[in-house]
Structures are given as C-alpha cells and as structure tokens.
Amino acid sequence: MNRRFTWFNATSLTLGFVFLYLPILLLVIFSFNESRLVTVWAGFSTKWYVELFQDEAFLDAALVTLRVALLSATIATILGTLAAVVMIRAGRFKGRTLFSGMIYAPLVMPEVITGLSLLLLFVAIGIDRGFWTITIAHITFSMCYAAVVVSSRMVTFDTSLEEAATDLGCTPFQSFIKVTLPIMAPAIISAWLLAFTLSLDDLVIASFTSGPGATTLPMKIYSQVRLGVTPQINALSTILISIVTLGVLTASFLTRRAESKRKADELLAGS
Amino acid sequence: MNISPNKKPSARFAPWDDPAQKPLVRFGNVTKRFGSFTAIDNISLDIYEREFFALLGPSGCGKTTMMRMLAGFEKPSEGTISLGGEDIADIPPYKRPVNMMFQSYALFPHMTVEANIAFGLKQDKWPKQQISERVEEMLSLVQLTKFAKRKPHQLSGGQRQRVALARSLAKKPKLLLLDEPLGALDKKLREKTQFELMDIQEKLGMTFVIVTHDQEEAMTVASRIAVMDDGKLIQVATPEVIYEYPNCRYVADFIGDVNLVEGRISTTAEEMVKLSWAEGQGDIDISYKNGCSAGENACLAIRPEKVHVTREEPQDVDNKIRGVIHDIAYIGNLSTYYVKLGNGQIFRAQESNRRRLANREFTWDDQVWLSWRNTAGVLLQK
C-alpha cells in the first residue's frame, strides 16, 4: 500500500470530510448562537438549551420516542433472534428460500409503503392510533434488521456446542439459555442497538402510524422546521448527535479492547 | 523379546468370546434412514464392558451415525439399541449415562476450563464440595491443573483436546464416545495422545467407543475394531485378526497395504489349496481351513512385509515368483519394492532397511525372486 502523503490525497481527504461534516458542524455552532436568526452569528449562548428543557412539548416527544425505541427494540430483537434461529437451524424444508426471502424483503421495501400498509391495517381493524401503533410498526420493520444481524452470527455458530450441553445433561431449552445465548450475546446486543437507533431515527413510518397525543421527536422536529428553523431545533439536534457519537465511540472502544485482549490470549495459548 | 510378567494379563481380555458375558451395548438389527438415504443398514453389534471399541471406515460409511445414535442425537428408524440391558431408543441425550467427546471439542468459549469440566456436574446438581473435588481430580488426570482458570481460546490444540476429554469423563459415564478425538492434532502429538487415552481408559476401567477413519489409530488403541462401509459392518474383530485374517478384499485393502492376486482354485488338499493365477506360472500354495472347491474364483491377499526379495533363487520356500524391480519407495526405516511380474502385475514387497542406503542390495531393473510361506497370505473367496 502507498502510504506516502501527497497533495492529492490530502485534498480528497479534506473535501470528503468537509462534505460529510460541514452541515453538522454548522448546526452545532449555531445551536450556541445568541441570535434567533439561524444564519447570523451574534455571540455565544446556551439559552436555547435552557429553553429546550423548559419546552414541555419537546420533552414529551422525547419521552415518547425513548419509550417506543426501548420497547420496540427489545421486542424486535427477541422476535428477530427467534426468526434467525429458525432460519439457520430448521435445515431444509419446503419453501425455506421463500420464507427467508420474506423475512429480508422489508429491508428494501420503501418506508412510505410500509407506513401506508400499516396505517391501512390499523384502520381496518379499528385500533386507535397512538403510542402502541407506532411501537408495533417499529417492531415490524426493525425485526428484519435484528434477524439479519443475529443470523449472520448464527451461521458460524458451532451446533456441537449445544449438543455438548445436551450431552452433559441440559434439556434443549437449558442448553439454549446456558450456552447459545451467552455466546450469541454480542450479536444480540448489536441487533438491539441497531433496532433502537432505527426506531429513534424513524420519521416516515411514525408519521403514518401515530395519532393524536403521540408525537415522536423526529416528527416534532420536522413539523417545527416547516414553520422555520429555530435555534432550539439546533440545540436538540446537537444533543442527539452527541448521544449517537458517544454510543459509537463506546462501541468501537469496547470492540478494540476485546480484540487486543484476544490477541494477548492467543499469544498466551502459543506459549 | 522379553515381556515383563506384570504387563502380560493373566487371562486375555476377550469378553466377546465368552458366551456367559452380557454386552454393555447391543445394537439389534438397527437401520437408520435419512429420507431415502440409508445410513445404517440392519446392523447388529455387541460391545462389552471395559472395551475400547473402534468404529472404522471411510467418511460417509455410517460410523458417526452409529455414535450419534448411542449419544441420543439420532433415533434408529428400525431395530433396538440397548445399554446395560435397557432399551435406550426413547431416552433423550440429557438423560443417558453416556457422554461424548466431540470432534471439534465443543468447549464452551465463555467458560473457564474449570467451569467447562464442572458443567455436567452442576447440571446433575452435585454438591459444591464434590464438584470441586471431581474437577480437581479430572484436571490432574489430564495434567491441566495449572490451566484451570483459563478460557478455551487461551489453550493450545492439545490442551483443548484434554479439557474436552476431562469434561466428558467428569460425570463417570457408563460409556464414553469419542468422535475422531485426535483428528485435529499433529502426528507426533496424536501418537502420544493415543497412549494417554489407552492409559486413562485402563486406569478408569471404562468403556470407550471411538470413531475414526485413521486405521493406525484404530489398530493402536482398540480392543476390537468394526470395519464399516456403506452402512454395513464388514468385519468385527481384534486388530490382529483384522490385519492378519481380513475376511474380504475391502478390509484387506482398507487396513494397511496388500497384494491381491486374482485366480482360480485348481486343486484342494487337506488345509491347503492351490491357486492358478497366470499362464506359465506355477500355482500358489495357500493354507486354508474353510471349505472351498476346485474351479472357484478366489484371490490371494498377502501383506508386502511378508514377501521376501532375494537375488538368488530361494530354496525351501512354499511359493516363489520371478520379477523385475520396477520402482523403489524408500521411507527411511522401510523400503517398498514394486516388482513387475511376468504377467505385468505389480507386486509389492517390503524389507526393513537394516543397512545403510549405500549398501542397498537391489536397484531398479534388477531381476529378483519373491518368496513367501503358504501361511503368510489368506485366501479370499468371492
């Protein structure tokens, strides 16, 4: 590999990062703007953050979003894990390809269509739209992602581990709990994190399936922006960005530590 | 050679020859099908207590299926399998007094060596004190006491293999199953571990059933070997019998090297037959006790190491053939001579290299005589 520093490399690197991060950087800077005008700098202030935390509508939306995300991520992970177990373990049966295809299809389904079809369903069976319908909708689409993440790890899972547990006296259920789950835990946690993030991010499906009294944060931001961008929104977005960044950094730190520990262990085994 | 008296058992261990002995494991007309594929075809087999029994065969011969049926992971489609006189067909694996050592070792990666060995004991709700004593005992048996707190990925291949063995022995199973237990080890370590396995089996007085495709491994460790092919048992006997008296071409060819000479029985005398095998060549004398009649097609199977190569025509031998050395395979301790006979057939003869290579007697294209006694080979009928 050519590791030499050239002007060409430097330029493309800079351009790339500017392209990716300039909008976000502007947003963060202007969240600390004294002025109400978003595009004019008038000095440093944290007053929009203070105001944000006094705005009950925003806090409500944040709470709804968080509850929806926690609940839907948890249920979607459970269902997705079960689906993955079935897909990998059931072996060959008639219609297996169709079945697995149908699990993965919603990944590429346009969100608008998913949202619309769920809306029609809820209307048809007469459920009042609100917190629960958003949660159910989020479970529906994030379950597929969870299934994909878990099954990609499940493929490499050595089934003789479960057989060994059974051989040593575990019922199939016990061996799943004592052996399979702990080994699969990292994949299940990343599936949960992915489902959680997807639910936090979602605007389109939530808009279709929500009703009065249940507004998620992305919906709230979107409706506010239509009336004009306020520095409050910038402040809120900055908070969200910080949370996500913190999460990503923690995850990569944990991964790196596990990796270096594994390398040290392998050295130990060789000695 | 001297055999020290304490090494020589006073009575030969051969429960299979004693009709009063009850087998520990009995397969009764067992058939196992997977869909339309028959993996095990009507097998009946007895395995006795304290045996080190080997199931030997090429991959796909059904040996692993036999083992998985003993462990309880597969159910026979037909027939019965009993353990200590009790039919175990409907007993799930977690209730059988049978443990298995897996080919991949299947050590639980999230548990220490200690916890791996204690796993089955905890599952059986042993008291804490007894568990730690048993784990201690197992660790010292496999010489891994120092490694108790390590995780499986912190161990070398050989150490993992021993943890797997300790874990499967911990529950004192009536029957231990070993699925290609040494397959992942290199040759030197494998040979050493074979003797360790035999020592442990003898020390604990347990019954081991080993599945292997390695004939040398089976010959080394086993009290009896079952040679399998295509879902059937071909021959079940001690290693010596399997090697010296194979009952068919398949076994003769699968275990070790063999020369097969096709021919027709020309005359039969008392305990002796003559095999006519090529025009212009003298008949071969073969010592044979079972009945057979002249005119039958048959085949001589003779191991290369039982054939002598000499430059001069040998006197006072039962059989001799002339040939030309076609090729020599030198493997250090032994040389195998590929000798071309008058009819074009290649005949293998093996001599141990007692002298240095420089003084070797024969070389390529030498005219030589092959000779062997009439008891050296066996006659295989169609």
Side-chain angles (χ1 to χ4, degrees):
Chain A
M1 202 172 75
N2 185 3
R3 283 178 170 280
R4 263 184 317 159
F5 179 87
T6 64
W7 284 112
F8 178 76
N9 286 350
T11 317
S12 47
L13 190 72
T14 316
L15 278 178
F17 275 114
V18 165
F19 189 74
L20 283 174
Y21 289 104
L22 189 66
I24 293 173
L25 192 68
L26 279 179
L27 185 143
V28 172
I29 290 170
F30 280 102
S31 75
F32 295 104
N33 195 356
E34 172 76 39
S35 161
R36 174 164 281 279
L37 294 169
V38 183
T39 46
V40 182
W41 182 254
F44 182 82
S45 156
T46 54
K47 71 174 181 187
W48 302 114
Y49 287 87
V50 177
E51 216 165 273
L52 182 69
F53 282 99
Q54 283 162 352
D55 187 332
E56 226 154 86
F58 268 120
L59 289 180
D60 259 1
L63 203 63
V64 168
T65 310
L66 214 59
R67 277 165 59 206
V68 168
L70 284 174
L71 196 62
S72 67
T74 308
I75 297 176
T77 306
I78 293 170
L79 293 178
T81 305
L82 292 179
V85 170
V86 172
M87 290 320 305
I88 304 297
R89 293 293 171 75
R92 310 215 148 270
F93 55 87
K94 238 189 174 151
R96 183 182 188 278
T97 318
L98 181 72
F99 191 53
S100 64
M102 279 166 68
I103 284 188
Y104 300 145
L107 294 180
V108 291
M109 192 81 77
E111 282 188 313
V112 178
I113 291 174
T114 311
L116 187 64
S117 61
L118 282 163
L119 173 66
L120 292 177
L121 175 76
F122 294 140
V123 171
I125 58 177
I127 300 181
D128 283 338
R129 273 166 293 137
F131 173 78
W132 287 107
T133 48
I134 301 177
T135 310
I136 292 171
H138 281 186
I139 293 170
T140 312
F141 79 89
S142 51
M143 190 192 103
C144 315
Y145 288 90
V148 171
V149 171
V150 176
S151 67
S152 67
R153 171 68 184 84
M154 202 70 151
V155 172
T156 57
F157 184 86
D158 180 6
T159 43
S160 65
L161 287 172
E162 269 181 15
E163 280 179 352
T166 316
D167 186 63
L168 292 166
C170 284
T171 61
F173 179 72
Q174 284 174 325
S175 65
F176 185 77
I177 299 294
K178 291 187 181 181
V179 172
T180 315
L181 270 191
I183 296 170
M184 294 294 299
I188 293 172
I189 291 170
S190 27
W192 188 88
L193 282 172
L194 182 65
F196 184 78
T197 323
L198 285 170
S199 171
L200 275 188
D201 282 355
D202 171 65
L203 168 66
V204 178
I205 291 170
S207 311
F208 273 105
T209 53
S210 83
T215 307
T216 64
L217 216 46
M219 286 165 70
K220 182 77 188 163
I221 295 173
Y222 186 65
S223 61
Q224 285 280 320
V225 170
R226 277 195 298 188
L227 305 175
V229 181
T230 65
Q232 233 174 352
I233 299 284
N234 285 355
L236 180 64
S237 308
T238 305
I239 292 173
L240 282 178
I241 291 167
S242 320
I243 292 172
V244 171
T245 312
L246 205 67
V248 171
L249 286 180
T250 316
S252 73
F253 171 71
L254 288 177
T255 320
R256 191 168 303 178
R257 205 178 58 168
E259 181 70 12
S260 61
K261 187 163 180 294
R262 196 180 57 78
K263 284 209 176 115
D265 285 346
E266 268 164 15
L267 272 179
L268 196 66
S271 67
Chain B
M1 204 173 86
N2 259 333
I3 295 171
S4 56
N6 58 353
K7 279 249 171 164
K8 199 172 178 179
S10 52
R12 209 166 63 87
F13 175 73
W16 49 87
D17 288 337
D18 180 357
Q21 286 277 344
K22 285 213 163 61
L24 176 69
V25 177
R26 167 162 274 172
F27 284 84
N29 301 97
V30 172
T31 295
K32 173 69 187 176
R33 292 186 202 89
F34 296 102
S36 59
F37 173 70
T38 307
I40 299 293
D41 191 1
N42 194 21
I43 282 184
S44 294
L45 175 66
D46 288 346
I47 299 171
Y48 294 86
E49 216 162 299
R50 304 175 72 98
E51 263 204 88
F52 201 139
F53 193 90
L55 291 166
L56 176 65
S59 58
C61 70
K63 57 192 194 301
T64 303
T65 309
M66 292 282 279
M67 169 158 293
R68 290 177 62 80
M69 287 196 291
L70 280 176
F73 299 128
E74 308 288 353
K75 274 188 183 179
S77 310
E78 279 162 39
T80 56
I81 301 176
S82 60
L83 179 70
E86 183 195 5
D87 188 348
I88 55 169
D90 290 319
I91 300 177
Y94 49 90
K95 286 188 184 154
R96 292 187 184 197
V98 173
N99 284 125
M100 178 154 167
M101 191 189 138
F102 290 80
Q103 185 173 12
S104 63
Y105 309 147
L107 298 177
F108 306 132
H110 56 302
M111 295 180 194
T112 59
V113 167
E114 242 176 1
N116 263 288
I117 298 174
F119 188 87
L121 307 176
K122 278 189 188 149
Q123 204 57 39
D124 281 6
K125 306 231 159 40
W126 281 35
K128 264 211 168 92
Q129 182 62 30
Q130 264 172 286
I131 292 184
S132 63
E133 279 169 19
R134 183 70 178 161
V135 169
E136 200 66 25
E137 194 185 335
M138 286 296 111
L139 282 171
S140 71
L141 181 73
V142 296
Q143 299 152 36
L144 282 177
T145 311
K146 284 195 301 192
F147 301 95
K149 302 285 183 214
R150 287 206 186 173
K151 292 265 183 75
H153 62 263
Q154 297 169 316
L155 300 175
S156 68
Q159 291 164 342
R160 278 179 219 179
Q161 187 268 343
R162 300 207 311 263
V163 177
L165 180 65
R167 187 179 69 178
S168 55
L169 285 170
K171 286 176 74 173
K172 302 180 184 166
K174 274 191 191 166
L175 179 66
L176 183 75
L177 308 173
L178 304 121
D179 185 6
E180 304 264 2
L182 313 177
L185 305 181
D186 61 66
K187 194 169 187 290
K188 276 257 160 69
L189 191 56
R190 197 160 63 218
E191 280 167 5
K192 180 169 160 270
T193 314
Q194 282 167 3
F195 288 107
E196 282 176 7
L197 269 184
M198 290 161 73
D199 275 352
I200 286 172
Q201 192 257 350
E202 208 163 305
K203 208 188 285 176
L204 303 179
M206 281 171 53
T207 313
F208 281 22
V209 173
I210 185 174
V211 157
T212 180
H213 67 272
D214 180 344
Q215 42 121 343
E216 268 179 48
E217 186 171 297
M219 299 285 287
T220 309
V221 300
S223 59
R224 276 195 307 160
I225 297 175
V227 183
M228 291 184 68
D229 185 39
D230 211 8
K232 293 190 187 70
L233 288 178
I234 308 297
Q235 188 172 14
V236 182
T238 59
E240 301 82 45
V241 173
I242 293 258
Y243 189 78
E244 302 291 354
Y245 303 100
N247 66 359
C248 65
R249 282 154 216 249
Y250 178 79
V251 174
D253 208 23
F254 189 73
I255 312 280
D257 275 340
V258 74
N259 294 300
L260 294 172
V261 183
E262 305 281 347
R264 183 183 296 124
I265 297 171
S266 53
T267 53
T268 62
E270 205 176 315
E271 297 195 351
M272 189 68 67
V273 297
K274 284 188 181 294
L275 187 77
S276 137
W277 62 282
E279 269 182 51
Q281 299 274 7
D283 290 356
I284 298 171
D285 287 350
I286 307 166
S287 155
Y288 192 67
K289 293 196 177 74
N290 299 355
C292 61
S293 49
E296 237 177 278
N297 281 328
C299 159
L300 165 77
I302 185 163
R303 304 284 181 193
E305 76 274 11
K306 296 199 167 57
V307 181
H308 290 295
V309 191
T310 47
R311 193 179 295 279
E312 309 302 323
E313 181 170 355
Q315 305 301 316
D316 297 331
V317 293
D318 299 326
N319 296 294
K320 54 190 174 189
I321 312 179
R322 271 183 80 91
V324 175
I325 292 187
H326 180 70
D327 230 330
I328 303 172
Y330 171 74
I331 55 162
N333 54 342
L334 300 170
S335 287
T336 305
Y337 299 96
Y338 291 75
V339 178
K340 199 171 200 167
L341 306 184
N343 66 348
Q345 190 182 350
I346 301 286
F347 207 93
R348 275 168 296 178
Q350 209 167 50
E351 295 280 350
S352 63
N353 293 321
R354 289 188 204 88
R355 295 197 210 162
R356 283 278 175 90
L357 192 60
N359 308 324
R360 197 162 60 187
E361 279 177 85
F362 314 108
T363 182
W364 282 264
D365 294 332
D366 278 1
Q367 287 273 347
V368 290
W369 284 89
L370 300 173
S371 61
W372 64 92
R373 304 190 61 80
N374 59 31
T375 52
V378 290
L379 185 74
L380 302 174
Q381 285 163 283
K382 290 268 171 176

